[in-house]
Amino acid sequence: QGTRDHPPAQVALRDRLFATVVACFKRHGAAAIDTPVLELRETLMGKYGDNSKLIYELQDQGGELLALRYDLTVPFARYLAMNKITNIKRYHIAKVYRRDNPAMTRGRYREFYQCDFDIAGQFDPMIPDAECLKIVHEILSELQLGDFLIKVNDRRILNGVFAICGIPESKFITMCSTVDKLDKMPWKDVKNEMVGEKGLSPEAADRIGQYVQLHGGLELIEQLLQDPKLSQNKLAKEGLGDMKLLFEYLTLFGITGKISFDLSLARGLDYYTGVIFEAVLLQQENDHVEEPVSVGSVAGGGRYDGLVGMFDPKGRKVPCVGVSIGIERIFSILEHRVKTSGEKVRTTETQVLVATPQKHLLSARLKLISELWDAGIKAEMMYKKDPKLLKQLQYCEDMGIPLVAIIGGQELTDGVVKLRDVATREEVRM
Amino acid sequence: QGTRDHPPAQVALRDRLFATVVACFKRHGAAAIDTPVLELRETLMGKYGDNSKLIYELQDQGGELLALRYDLTVPFARYLAMNKITNIKRYHIAKVYRRDNPAMTRGRYREFYQCDFDIAGQFDPMIPDAECLKIVHEILSELQLGDFLIKVNDRRILNGVFAICGIPESKFITMCSTVDKLDKMPWKDVKNEMVGEKGLSPEAADRIGQYVQLHGGLELIEQLLQDPKLSQNKLAKEGLGDMKLLFEYLTLFGITGKISFDLSLARGLDYYTGVIFEAVLLQQENDHVEEPVSVGSVAGGGRYDGLVGMFDPKGRKVPCVGVSIGIERIFSILEHRVKTSGEKVRTTETQVLVATPQKHLLSARLKLISELWDAGIKAEMMYKKDPKLLKQLQYCEDMGIPLVAIIGGQELTDGVVKLRDVATREEVRM
């Protein structure tokens, strides 16, 4: 349940998608690492809050207690701490496992790919953070998924807002998850949850509402830096200062047109400590697709300066910032697009089929195809002693093979091969 | 235990190895498929004989009973049967899991990559089988692992030998595993095991010994086809006829020089039904390596015509032949070679570092690097506001980055960039 086989057409499309993403990661100087699918159970426990119940555990068959990884971030932090690495820029594309309720049509599975880029190390503020946003911008532009928006916020600003609105620190994390719903429900409902479920006074909720409904750019940052209450909060001030710096860098990158400083962005994970961001696709107004694939965010990430320290015996911290590309959701969109366009994705790369028009020519075929393989040419033949020429040509059309190399008795005598273009039916002897 | 993290240098080397193997599979027209790491427990049970105890099982957390895949062949057969596919040429490179005793120095792990190419379908005899051997030959040649030998046999010939030596059919499989040890122990010890452990008479063992110690080429096949007893056995005769055909095809491929028809080759798995083969590296006589990496076979495979039928409700068979490249063992060899040669494997592909020689030039760096990224150039910069030029040049040397693009105050004024070759220290303004 919640897993699937990928037939050749899907793998071919996915490989194309991965190639774009990996090219971008490499363009930014990232190295690849790989970690086991299996982790010690204790490594994963206590890192995902309530979601820990979604972790797949292995049976105790003697030896260590194991579980399947839930994401790539916790194994990355464990890897850094274990190997005392304080400085790395890495990407990792691999499967992760969650005992969640699958929603296959929306690209949500129990086994799915994650696609992460992270920068670990003690650096000057916002330079790596800005690069993560540049990467999201590059990937979403290259994939031509339509218009998109990258929302940015900072956990320190959000916590500062909660603090000046009189919320006790113990409620910050649960407030984050309520605020995060503002992209799916109106403020009225979010306020109701704050008051009804989370026990806030209507006044406190309204005070929060005045802030978290704000979004904008540099001018909003300036405005909040002048806010008499918020600017008095140390954390918020730090966050706003860094946000201003981030927007300076993003301006130099020329990408602020797609960036929105959005105070309602909170993100679910506990471990974020600074900048957070999330990219969403914007539904075009002229979109009249019959069965639109509904997708949420297509990329997200943020700064997590405390996670590595949780795995270090001495608690030594390694600041990290990273981005995860929502590869499964993007794949659903691309797959849907291929289906509706009727485009046929080739599943093989074969350049030429070696064919014979008469019987008793298997030896000639085997000899020629062997020469082609040894010359590095992608070649196939049918595994029959005496296949009909029509069947061989049909196979080319089915598989999208562009050329046929034909050897009949005459060609053998003349020492030539007849090369036929499958689409145009043009032939040359060579 | 038995798993490992792969740091960037290992992933880079492994990716190079995979690229060679995948290029070969694609050259032969294979498509890629992917199946889940998780399989239903019942799918795996009863497919691996005694080795079933090595399967990792997942804890029963409600829902289906699951296990981690043990190889890629059983999931492939399950995939074919489930989707009623009767004809496919596919490759699959992915991790598999075995609760085995790890022997890390020899490249044996509990989580490891398998790298499989298989041809499924009802075809004329030995054409796909010959292609599998051609693939092994191409890959081992391209990887330049030194001299190698591909041993070939056929389960039908082996079973025929057992039959004419008076062994009951119930003992065929256990006899296979004893015969298979002939590459590691002398005949005397193998005979002892046959007599002592397997309960054969010394005479029966000797009769088997007369056959299984034979190896050669076409002339040996001809000789056995004339053998008065063996040629009377239906299975053996079929196997020998096919072996002759296989050698004809391999002659056309020009690879018989590295093929040995070896009657001691038996292979461990139960599901083989016809041709079997295994490639081994030959230790060169002038090999005086200080710590040689000990490796066994580096590729193996064979024909398994019954496996898919085990997953089909009506038992419909799909004949299959395939090869598995021993990627972990080959990786151990390559890694050892890199270590002893002192070669430095680059872990990133960065072409140019954007650097500044003075303070207060971060904006210039960010602007230039953004232009480079947008132009598809792999570029990095240090994440410091004011890094020292020497540190920037040192980073290039450490990471093998060939070029530095330097912008100082003068370059900014002149509207140029100074491009420096890290190795030769040559500089051009452009």
Side-chain angles (χ1 to χ4, degrees):
Chain A
Q1 205 199 345
T3 70
R4 63 195 153 156
D5 294 315
H6 292 277
Q10 274 183 20
V11 175
L13 187 63
R14 213 187 51 201
D15 282 352
R16 217 198 268 174
L17 175 55
F18 283 165
T20 304
V21 174
V22 168
C24 178
F25 291 165
K26 286 187 173 174
R27 196 158 59 234
H28 287 262
I33 71 157
D34 189 23
T35 64
V37 166
L38 305 167
E39 291 280 347
L40 290 178
R41 235 180 255 181
E42 61 185 63
T43 300
L44 305 188
M45 289 309 154
K47 307 300 184 303
Y48 304 105
D50 273 359
N51 287 336
S52 286
K53 64 177 184 294
L54 303 181
I55 293 171
Y56 275 103
E57 299 185 0
L58 270 85
Q59 184 145 308
D60 181 1
Q61 295 173 285
E64 301 146 319
L65 293 179
L66 303 171
L68 302 186
R69 64 180 164 212
Y70 181 87
D71 66 8
L72 301 177
T73 309
V74 166
F76 174 57
R78 193 261 312 142
Y79 168 77
L80 294 186
M82 233 171 101
N83 295 284
K84 300 195 172 49
I85 296 166
T86 55
N87 189 337
I88 192 173
K89 182 157 52 174
R90 83 89 177 81
Y91 72 91
H92 192 185
I93 299 181
K95 289 175 173 175
V96 302
Y97 298 84
R98 297 183 185 179
R99 294 181 53 257
D100 213 338
N101 280 328
M104 321 272 241
T105 49
R106 289 164 55 200
R108 187 138 58 90
Y109 293 89
R110 289 182 159 191
E111 173 184 68
F112 60 96
Y113 276 97
Q114 277 197 344
C115 194
D116 285 15
F117 171 98
D118 293 81
I119 300 171
Q122 187 69 57
F123 302 119
D124 281 327
M126 295 299 118
I127 310 180
D129 312 60
E131 185 166 1
C132 287
L133 294 171
K134 176 78 171 92
I135 284 175
V136 173
H137 192 279
E138 283 178 27
I139 290 174
L140 295 183
S141 303
E142 263 179 75
L143 291 173
Q144 299 184 296
L145 299 172
D147 206 10
F148 61 88
L149 187 71
I150 308 174
K151 300 178 188 174
V152 186
N153 198 4
D154 193 299
R155 275 285 171 92
R156 291 168 296 175
I157 301 174
L158 219 43
N159 289 345
V161 167
F162 297 147
I164 64 167
C165 295
I167 312 299
E169 213 179 314
S170 59
K171 282 195 177 164
F172 284 6
I173 286 181
T174 179
M175 286 313 297
C176 272
S177 78
T178 304
V179 167
D180 208 41
K181 294 179 184 166
L182 258 178
D183 61 341
K184 290 180 204 92
M185 8 164 131
W187 165 245
K188 188 171 58 72
D189 297 342
V190 172
K191 181 181 168 183
N192 279 343
E193 185 175 315
M194 286 181 175
V195 177
E197 286 177 39
K198 306 285 165 85
L200 260 58
S201 69
E203 296 73 30
D206 279 331
R207 280 197 296 273
I208 294 177
Q210 279 176 358
Y211 288 102
V212 296
Q213 290 180 87
L214 300 171
H215 52 90
L218 207 46
E219 68 299 334
L220 175 60
I221 302 169
E222 297 289 3
Q223 177 195 319
L224 292 175
L225 275 169
Q226 306 303 322
D227 184 285
K229 272 186 274 168
L230 201 58
S231 60
Q232 294 307 305
N233 181 280
K234 190 173 165 284
L235 269 182
K237 206 179 158 193
E238 251 179 59
L240 286 165
D242 277 348
M243 190 59 72
K244 193 176 162 187
L245 199 57
L246 180 66
F247 266 77
E248 266 177 42
Y249 297 162
L250 299 179
T251 306
L252 291 164
F253 286 162
I255 61 171
T256 43
K258 303 236 183 261
I259 308 277
S260 168
F261 171 40
D262 187 326
L263 278 95
S264 74
L265 179 71
R267 295 196 49 84
L269 288 165
D270 295 6
Y271 53 62
Y272 289 120
T273 54
V275 167
I276 46 177
F277 52 87
E278 196 166 292
V280 292
L281 296 185
L282 302 174
Q283 199 78 5
Q284 255 103 34
E285 276 175 46
N286 58 351
D287 256 10
H288 294 295
V289 194
E290 280 155 43
E291 326 160 47
V293 178
S294 69
V295 290
S297 79
V298 287
R303 179 162 282 284
Y304 50 102
D305 289 347
L307 192 60
V308 178
M310 293 174 72
F311 295 104
D312 186 278
K314 293 186 184 153
R316 276 166 299 206
K317 288 188 177 181
V318 178
C320 295
V321 63
V323 52
S324 190
I325 306 297
I327 207 82
E328 298 284 356
R329 286 178 170 180
I330 295 174
F331 178 75
S332 290
I333 297 168
L334 294 181
E335 202 184 15
H336 180 76
R337 187 184 291 172
V338 166
K339 258 184 206 153
T340 52
S341 77
E343 184 202 340
K344 215 184 153 193
V345 178
R346 276 199 73 181
T347 58
T348 62
E349 299 177 7
T350 309
Q351 299 165 294
V352 59
L353 185 84
V354 175
T356 39
Q358 298 132 343
K359 287 194 171 185
H360 311 303
L361 288 169
L362 175 60
S363 301
R365 263 191 294 149
L366 288 171
K367 238 179 134 167
L368 178 59
I369 202 169
S370 178
E371 277 182 57
L372 293 175
W373 286 330
D374 292 341
I377 291 168
K378 293 167 193 157
E380 282 186 80
M381 53 175 268
M382 298 195 74
Y383 299 124
K384 294 272 173 195
K385 257 168 29 193
D386 298 311
K388 296 222 167 67
L389 185 60
L390 234 135
K391 284 228 165 169
Q392 296 173 84
L393 294 173
Q394 188 57 48
Y395 182 76
C396 289
E397 301 212 348
D398 292 348
M399 300 299 289
I401 301 172
L403 296 170
V404 205
I406 302 171
I407 20 172
Q410 192 58 50
E411 285 79 17
L412 266 184
T413 311
D414 300 350
V416 298
V417 167
K418 196 158 69 184
L419 198 65
R420 178 186 169 114
D421 184 306
V422 175
T424 66
R425 299 184 183 184
E426 245 174 279
E427 291 183 347
V428 283
R429 284 159 61 90
M430 54 199 298
Chain B
Q1 206 197 344
T3 70
R4 64 196 152 155
D5 294 316
H6 292 278
Q10 274 183 19
V11 175
L13 186 64
R14 211 187 54 201
D15 281 353
R16 216 198 269 173
L17 175 55
F18 283 165
T20 304
V21 174
V22 168
C24 178
F25 291 165
K26 287 188 172 172
R27 196 158 59 233
H28 287 261
I33 71 157
D34 189 24
T35 64
V37 166
L38 304 167
E39 291 280 346
L40 290 177
R41 236 180 256 181
E42 61 187 62
T43 300
L44 305 189
M45 290 308 153
K47 307 299 184 303
Y48 304 105
D50 274 357
N51 288 335
S52 286
K53 64 177 184 295
L54 303 182
I55 293 171
Y56 275 102
E57 299 185 359
L58 270 85
Q59 184 146 306
D60 181 1
Q61 295 172 285
E64 303 146 317
L65 294 180
L66 303 170
L68 302 187
R69 65 181 163 212
Y70 181 86
D71 66 9
L72 301 176
T73 309
V74 166
F76 175 57
R78 193 261 312 142
Y79 169 77
L80 294 186
M82 233 171 101
N83 296 285
K84 298 196 172 51
I85 295 166
T86 56
N87 189 336
I88 193 174
K89 181 157 52 174
R90 84 88 177 80
Y91 72 90
H92 192 185
I93 299 181
K95 287 174 174 178
V96 302
Y97 298 84
R98 297 183 186 179
R99 295 181 53 258
D100 213 338
N101 280 327
M104 322 270 241
T105 50
R106 288 163 55 200
R108 188 139 57 88
Y109 293 89
R110 289 182 159 189
E111 171 183 69
F112 59 97
Y113 276 97
Q114 277 197 343
C115 193
D116 284 15
F117 171 99
D118 293 82
I119 300 170
Q122 187 68 59
F123 302 118
D124 281 326
M126 295 299 116
I127 310 182
D129 313 61
E131 185 167 1
C132 287
L133 293 171
K134 177 78 170 93
I135 283 174
V136 173
H137 192 278
E138 283 178 26
I139 289 174
L140 296 183
S141 304
E142 263 178 76
L143 291 174
Q144 299 184 294
L145 299 171
D147 206 11
F148 61 87
L149 186 71
I150 309 174
K151 299 177 187 176
V152 187
N153 197 4
D154 192 300
R155 274 285 171 93
R156 292 168 297 175
I157 300 174
L158 219 42
N159 289 345
V161 167
F162 297 147
I164 64 166
C165 294
I167 312 299
E169 212 179 314
S170 60
K171 284 196 177 164
F172 284 5
I173 285 181
T174 178
M175 287 312 297
C176 273
S177 77
T178 304
V179 167
D180 208 40
K181 295 179 183 167
L182 258 178
D183 61 341
K184 288 179 205 95
M185 2 164 136
W187 164 246
K188 188 171 57 75
D189 297 342
V190 171
K191 181 182 167 182
N192 278 344
E193 184 175 317
M194 286 182 175
V195 177
E197 287 176 37
K198 307 286 163 88
L200 261 59
S201 70
E203 295 72 30
D206 279 331
R207 282 198 295 273
I208 294 178
Q210 279 175 359
Y211 287 104
V212 296
Q213 290 179 86
L214 299 172
H215 53 89
L218 207 46
E219 68 298 335
L220 175 60
I221 302 169
E222 296 290 4
Q223 178 196 320
L224 292 175
L225 275 168
Q226 304 305 321
D227 183 288
K229 274 186 273 169
L230 201 58
S231 61
Q232 294 307 306
N233 179 281
K234 190 171 164 287
L235 269 183
K237 206 179 156 193
E238 249 180 61
L240 285 165
D242 277 351
M243 190 58 71
K244 194 176 160 186
L245 199 56
L246 180 66
F247 266 77
E248 267 176 42
Y249 297 162
L250 298 180
T251 306
L252 290 164
F253 286 163
I255 61 170
T256 44
K258 302 236 184 262
I259 308 274
S260 168
F261 171 40
D262 186 327
L263 279 97
S264 73
L265 179 73
R267 294 196 49 86
L269 288 164
D270 294 7
Y271 53 61
Y272 289 120
T273 54
V275 166
I276 45 177
F277 51 88
E278 196 166 293
V280 290
L281 297 185
L282 303 175
Q283 198 78 5
Q284 257 102 33
E285 277 174 47
N286 57 350
D287 257 10
H288 293 296
V289 194
E290 280 155 42
E291 330 160 45
V293 179
S294 69
V295 291
S297 79
V298 288
R303 178 161 283 285
Y304 51 101
D305 288 349
L307 192 60
V308 179
M310 293 173 73
F311 295 104
D312 187 277
K314 291 187 184 152
R316 278 167 297 207
K317 289 187 176 181
V318 178
C320 294
V321 63
V323 52
S324 190
I325 306 296
I327 207 82
E328 297 283 357
R329 285 178 170 180
I330 295 174
F331 178 75
S332 290
I333 297 168
L334 294 181
E335 204 185 13
H336 179 76
R337 188 186 290 174
V338 166
K339 260 183 205 154
T340 51
S341 78
E343 187 203 338
K344 215 183 154 194
V345 178
R346 277 198 73 180
T347 58
T348 63
E349 298 177 8
T350 309
Q351 299 165 294
V352 58
L353 185 84
V354 175
T356 39
Q358 298 131 343
K359 287 195 171 186
H360 312 303
L361 288 169
L362 175 61
S363 302
R365 265 191 293 150
L366 287 170
K367 237 178 137 171
L368 177 58
I369 201 168
S370 179
E371 278 183 56
L372 293 175
W373 285 331
D374 291 343
I377 291 170
K378 294 168 193 156
E380 282 186 79
M381 53 176 267
M382 297 194 76
Y383 298 124
K384 295 274 173 192
K385 259 172 21 194
D386 297 310
K388 296 222 167 67
L389 186 59
L390 232 134
K391 282 227 167 173
Q392 296 174 85
L393 295 173
Q394 187 58 49
Y395 182 75
C396 290
E397 300 212 348
D398 291 348
M399 300 299 289
I401 301 172
L403 296 170
V404 204
I406 301 170
I407 20 171
Q410 190 57 51
E411 286 78 18
L412 267 182
T413 311
D414 300 350
V416 298
V417 167
K418 196 158 70 184
L419 198 64
R420 178 187 170 112
D421 184 306
V422 175
T424 66
R425 300 183 183 185
E426 247 175 278
E427 292 182 348
V428 283
R429 285 158 62 91
M430 53 197 299

